[in-house]
Structures are given as structure tokens and as C-alpha cells.
Amino acid sequence: MRLDVVTIFPEYLEPLNVSLVGKARARGQLNVHVHELRTWAYDRHNTVDDTPYGGGPGMVMKTEPWGEALDSVLADGYETGSRAPALIVPTPSGRPFTQELAVELSGRPWLIFAPARYEGIDRRVTDEYAARMPVYEVSIGDYVLAGGEAAVLVVTEAVARLLPGVLGNAESHRDDSFAPGAMAGLLEGPVYTKPPLWRGRDIPDVLLSGHHGKIARWRRDEALKRTAANRPDLIERCDPKGLDKKDREMLSILGWAPDPDGEPYGRFWRRPEGMEQ
Ligand code: 6GU
């Protein structure tokens, strides 16, 4: 996979040299190019922003540097035979970046990132490139960052670990929280390793029992507890067809019940206080 990032802070992308993404680059599984946007600003001050039409606070990133930068990256790809680019525009106004979108992006051969600083990029830039290639405006959560560079790091890491051969063990994504499958839509529970006793704290007996069925059941119960506590929205969204009798018992203990009037039928909702199980 080829990645290009156009930014006014190339140093911000240094972490792409480290850890999983850095190793994937070293092995040739990822081909990363970071470009300084100001290369394509031709006035004396290398200006990349200007005041917004219509007034208001902050600055807007200008069309011309972005247009020239993206044309140049695309032309280089044409010369090097890179195929089917997609443009990723990190913005707090984008669609939520999810594991599902990470999987979709990991199947593309070439991603070009256009992280904005200031109040964003002049809309005509995304409109222009959307006429030639898929454009994904993505947000990494409900908070505001000073710029999209941190989001580029987040998206890159989530995508890179899905590329064939990047994680040592192909099994490692199978149980990821948010991955489709057995633990569909549940967070992963706690994990333990040696020593068996640390500062007076031991390991849940079941994990030392060697009983695979009981261990799987315990993990599932812990996943349900953690999900109910940290992400009740995921319990409400989960498909009740994926829940077995023991799952339902655990949810009942945690204060959740199937909603007989709900749409679709049987989705779990939190039992109101004082309502008996
Ligand atoms: Cl992608 N960019 C900025 N500036 N803020 C964000 C974001 C992105 N995602 C959440 N907040």
C-alpha cells in the first residue's frame, strides 16, 4: 500500500517511522511519502491560509497550494504506476472512523491524506478531487483537535495492522473489539500474564483451570460486563440473535432485559431502576 501525507507539519508524522508502521515500511509493505504543503505556496511568506468569506473567526486553508500539492502527488503516482488513489480528509465534521472503515481502506492500494490546520480547507478542493476519486472525510471522535495530523497517525495505524503480513499472527485481529465474529460488537475483557501473584493480587482461578469451555464462558461474561459498563450503546445496538442463554443471564444480572415491544424485536435495553428481573 502507498500512503502520501500533505501537511504543514511534516515532523508531526515522524511516528510513522516507529513501531508497527515503521516496521511495515522497512519491510516494504507500506510505501510512505510525507510532503510539506508550503512547497506549493509561492508568495514570500509561503502563505497557505486566508480569512474566511462571510466572516467569522479563524483562517481557512487556501485552494491553490492544496490543488498544486495534490496534482503533484497524483502525477508522481501516475509516473510510478500507482493505482486508484483515495483521498482521506481528516476533519471533526467527517464520518466516524470505525474498524469497518479501516477494513475498507486497508483494501485500497493508495491513500492520500490531506490533514487541515485552522478552520479547514476551502470546500472547492474536496469538491474538485471528489470528481476524480473517492474522498473520505473522517473524524476520529467527538472532540476537536488543533489539526488532522494526529488523525492521520490514528487511521494509518488502524489500517496498517490489517495489511497482510504486518501483524505477526494472522489470528490476532480475529478477537479485536469491533471485528466481526464471535465477540461481535463486544469489548474485550481483562487479560493476565505471569507472575501468578503480584502485590497480593492473584489470577482468576478459571484461567488456571485448563478448562477451555469455562475459560471461553468467563471471557464472554467479562466482555459483557465491560461493554455494559463502558459502552452501553454497544449493548443496545447488538443483535440479540448473537446472544446465547448464558449471555442473556449475564445481561440480566447486569440490569439489562430484552425489550418485547422494541424494534427490532428483543434488543436489550437497560431495565429501569426498581424494576425486578
Ligand atoms: Cl480528524 N481533525 C480534527 N482537527 N479534530 C478532530 C478530528 C479530526 N477528529 C476528531 N476531532
Side-chain angles (χ1 to χ4, degrees):
M1 173 182 276
R2 172 169 174 171
L3 297 181
D4 288 82
V5 187
V6 179
T7 172
I8 57 169
F9 292 127
E11 327 82 86
Y12 209 121
L13 284 303
E14 279 295 308
L16 296 178
N17 293 320
V18 180
S19 186
L20 174 127
V21 174
K23 280 184 198 141
R25 286 177 82 171
R27 286 196 217 104
Q29 292 160 325
L30 261 186
N31 177 10
V32 179
H33 306 261
V34 177
H35 313 270
E36 154 92 90
L37 178 65
R38 289 189 204 278
T39 308
W40 293 280
Y42 301 109
D43 68 307
R44 235 165 21 96
H45 304 287
N46 297 132
T47 310
V48 295
D49 62 338
D50 205 337
T51 54
Y53 276 120
M59 298 293 273
V60 174
M61 295 190 100
K62 292 164 65 62
T63 50
E64 300 98 318
W66 276 109
E68 300 226 1
L70 294 172
D71 285 351
S72 164
V73 168
L74 290 167
D76 175 63
Y78 188 78
E79 285 161 22
T80 60
S82 305
R83 298 166 299 115
L87 182 64
I88 318 289
V89 183
T91 162
S93 312
R95 64 196 263 201
F97 181 63
T98 59
Q99 188 65 22
E100 191 185 358
L101 186 51
V103 170
E104 180 179 332
L105 295 179
S106 73
R108 303 203 62 102
W110 185 11
L111 304 177
I112 303 173
F113 289 91
R117 289 266 143 181
Y118 317 114
E119 297 298 310
I121 304 173
D122 186 307
R123 183 75 214 170
R124 292 170 292 178
V125 174
T126 32
D127 290 346
E128 169 80 6
Y129 290 92
R132 306 189 211 167
M133 67 183 80
V135 175
Y136 298 82
E137 289 188 300
V138 298
S139 162
I140 60 164
D142 292 342
Y143 41 78
V144 179
L145 303 170
E149 283 77 6
V152 173
L153 297 176
V154 167
V155 172
T156 300
E157 187 160 319
V159 168
R161 66 187 284 286
L162 296 174
L163 298 177
V166 168
L167 280 194
N169 175 358
E171 295 263 291
S172 325
H173 330 125
R174 200 201 44 204
D175 285 350
D176 284 352
S177 296
F178 310 112
M183 299 297 269
L186 295 181
L187 305 181
E188 288 173 55
V191 294
Y192 300 87
T193 186
K194 292 164 275 299
L197 188 65
W198 179 74
R199 300 190 181 179
R201 297 167 186 275
D202 59 10
I203 307 292
D205 287 336
V206 62
L207 295 180
L208 306 173
S209 70
H211 192 301
H212 299 298
K214 282 187 182 156
I215 292 171
R217 185 64 249 165
W218 180 85
R219 290 203 167 129
R220 181 103 183 151
D221 286 344
E222 293 301 312
L224 286 162
K225 284 187 213 167
R226 203 180 220 178
T227 309
N230 292 346
R231 292 293 304 276
D233 58 305
L234 294 181
I235 303 279
E236 280 165 17
R237 254 197 276 155
C238 96
D239 182 354
K241 286 199 285 296
L243 299 171
D244 67 15
K245 187 157 166 281
K246 291 276 167 60
D247 295 335
R248 289 158 188 279
E249 280 170 26
M250 175 50 64
L251 283 173
S252 176
I253 291 164
L254 297 170
W256 293 74
D259 181 358
D261 310 318
E263 203 41 69
Y265 173 78
R267 293 263 153 158
F268 275 73
W269 64 313
R270 205 194 271 289
R271 216 182 297 116
E273 295 289 322
M275 197 158 150
E276 293 307 309
Q277 345 190 134

